[in-house]
Amino acid sequence: MGRFPTNVAGTLVPFGRKLEEPIALAKEALWSVPVPDLVPSEHWPMVETRIRSGETSGGVWKREGSARGIALWERRGPLGVTVGLIYLRPAEVSARGYRSLLEAVAASAGPLAFVSSPLPGLTLAEEASTMRELGFAPFGRSEMTRPLSTPVGALAGSADRRVRPFRPEDEAVVAKIHEKAYQGRFDRYLFLEETDPTRDAESAVHGLVQGRWGPFRPEASMVVEEKGIPAGSDLVVDSPRGVLIADVATDPAFAGRGVGRSALEGTLRALKSAGAGLVRLAVTEGNRRAIALYERLGFVRSGGPSREWYHTGRIPVAPEAD
C-alpha cells in the first residue's frame, strides 16, 4: 500500500492486525453516512466481512493519537482506487478536513477514480466545491424494480427475430455484443478491469456467467438474433437481494429496432414462469434511453439516485453521453 503520509490535519494509519478500532469506527460511519435507501443494518455484515478478510483496505484518520475518521477503499482495475466509505467525526468535519483525508488516501493507495460515498457533515454545496477542486464530477445510480405479477406485453419484434435463452457456447458472442454496446460509454468505466476493450468485455461476461456476482440464471438470460445474427442480450443473476438483470446490451448496428426490449420481455416471461416475484436492475442517471425503455416495460425507481463522484481525468466520458 505504500507509506501513509502525515499532514497538517492528521495521519492516516493503516489497518493492522487488531481490527477492533477500525471496525467500530466503520460501523459508526455507516450509520452516519446519508446514503439514499441504504439500510445500514442490512449492509453492515458485508462491510465487516470485507474488512476482516482484507478485501477492503482502509486507514483510520488520527490526530493527537485519537481516531477522528476513517476511509475504506478498494482498487478497481486500471482506473485507480474506489473510495467506498469516507467519514470524519462531527467535531472534525470541514471541507479542508475531507480534502486532506482524500489526498492522504490517494498518496497512500494510488490515484482515485471514484468516490462512491458522500462526505457526511458537509452541505451539498461544500461537498461539490471540495470534490470539484480535486478534479471530480458527480454522477448517480438508481435501482429500478418491477413486480413480475405485472402483465408482460406482446413480444416486440418481427418474423426475422428470434429470442432464446442463453447457451454456454454463447459466451464469446455475448462478450462481443457487450464490447460494441459499451464502447465509449460511461457505464463501461464503472466496472472496468482491462484497458483492452475486448479482454474487458470477455472478463465482464465471463464473471457474470461464472457466478461472480451471484448464481447465473441462463434460462432467464436472453440472446436476440436478427436473421440469425446475434444482435443483443441480457444476463440475469440471483443476487443477495433477489433477481438482478445485471447486463443489457445491443449491438449498435441494430440500435433503435427494439432489440433490448425483446431481450427484456423474454427475460420477464421466463422469470414469471419460474415463479420469481420481483426483478431489479441498476441504471446510471444519465442513460436516458435505457431509463425510458425500462419505464415502458413497467420498471419504477425503487432506490436512489446515489450521490457519487468520478475523476474526470481518469474517466473521459460524462454520464450524459449515454
Side-chain angles (χ1 to χ4, degrees):
M1 291 296 299
R3 180 171 168 270
F4 280 66
T6 301
N7 62 32
V8 294
T11 303
L12 191 60
V13 179
F15 295 169
R17 293 184 179 180
K18 295 182 179 180
L19 295 173
E20 289 79 6
E21 182 180 60
I23 283 176
L25 195 54
K27 189 171 186 178
E28 176 186 327
L30 189 63
W31 262 259
S32 302
V33 175
V35 177
D37 306 296
L38 184 147
V39 180
S41 59
E42 294 179 359
H43 193 57
W44 171 246
M46 179 185 69
V47 174
E48 182 178 11
T49 297
R50 291 180 67 84
I51 292 173
R52 291 190 182 280
S53 68
E55 292 179 78
T56 294
S57 301
V60 175
W61 188 239
K62 291 195 172 186
R63 188 164 60 82
E64 299 174 350
S66 178
R68 308 300 178 103
I70 191 170
L72 302 179
W73 64 83
E74 56 188 82
R75 190 172 298 278
R76 182 173 290 172
L79 288 177
V81 172
T82 294
V83 177
L85 184 67
I86 186 166
Y87 171 68
L88 289 175
R89 283 179 159 160
E92 301 296 314
V93 168
S94 70
R96 181 187 180 196
Y98 274 114
R99 177 171 184 141
S100 295
L101 180 48
L102 284 166
E103 288 174 340
V105 173
S108 303
L112 306 185
F114 296 99
V115 177
S116 57
S117 169
L119 310 184
L122 297 186
T123 66
L124 292 178
E126 289 171 335
E127 178 179 322
S129 176
T130 300
M131 296 305 295
R132 291 187 189 280
E133 286 176 3
L134 291 169
F136 288 83
F139 75 99
R141 297 267 286 171
S142 290
E143 178 185 80
M144 301 185 77
T145 56
R146 183 188 192 278
L148 288 166
S149 57
T150 304
V152 182
L155 196 64
S158 66
D160 294 328
R161 178 169 299 171
R162 181 188 181 198
V163 182
R164 59 170 178 80
F166 179 95
R167 300 189 294 247
E169 59 268 27
D170 290 324
E171 184 173 326
V173 169
V174 170
K176 183 56 66 175
I177 294 172
H178 179 102
E179 177 188 351
K180 294 177 181 178
Y182 285 89
Q183 184 175 6
R185 310 295 288 274
F186 179 82
D187 280 7
R188 176 181 177 238
Y189 293 92
L190 286 175
F191 307 102
L192 188 74
E193 294 185 349
E194 301 274 357
T195 54
D196 179 81
T198 298
R199 290 200 303 269
D200 187 57
E202 291 171 349
S203 175
V205 172
H206 185 71
L208 286 166
V209 171
Q210 293 301 309
R212 180 179 178 185
W213 309 112
F216 182 54
R217 298 283 298 264
E219 81 288 353
S221 302
M222 297 292 145
V223 174
V224 181
E225 297 174 345
E226 290 279 275
K227 296 183 178 180
I229 300 172
S233 64
D234 66 4
L235 301 176
V236 180
V237 302
D238 281 324
S239 77
R241 296 181 55 227
V243 179
L244 171 69
I245 300 176
D247 186 81
V248 182
T250 298
D251 185 325
F254 297 91
R257 303 185 193 181
V259 170
R261 177 168 186 152
S262 291
L264 289 165
E265 287 174 338
T267 286
L268 295 175
R269 291 171 182 275
L271 289 171
K272 186 173 184 177
S273 296
L278 190 75
V279 61
R280 66 188 184 89
L281 51 79
V283 63
T284 301
E285 278 300 306
N287 195 344
R288 292 180 288 272
R289 287 182 297 177
I291 291 171
L293 170 60
Y294 301 149
E295 289 176 340
R296 287 196 297 272
L297 289 171
F299 284 86
V300 296
R301 281 181 174 82
S302 53
S306 60
R307 193 165 86 241
E308 305 181 61
W309 300 89
Y310 71 97
H311 196 282
T312 58
R314 306 193 69 79
I315 296 90
V317 180
E320 290 75 14
D322 278 350

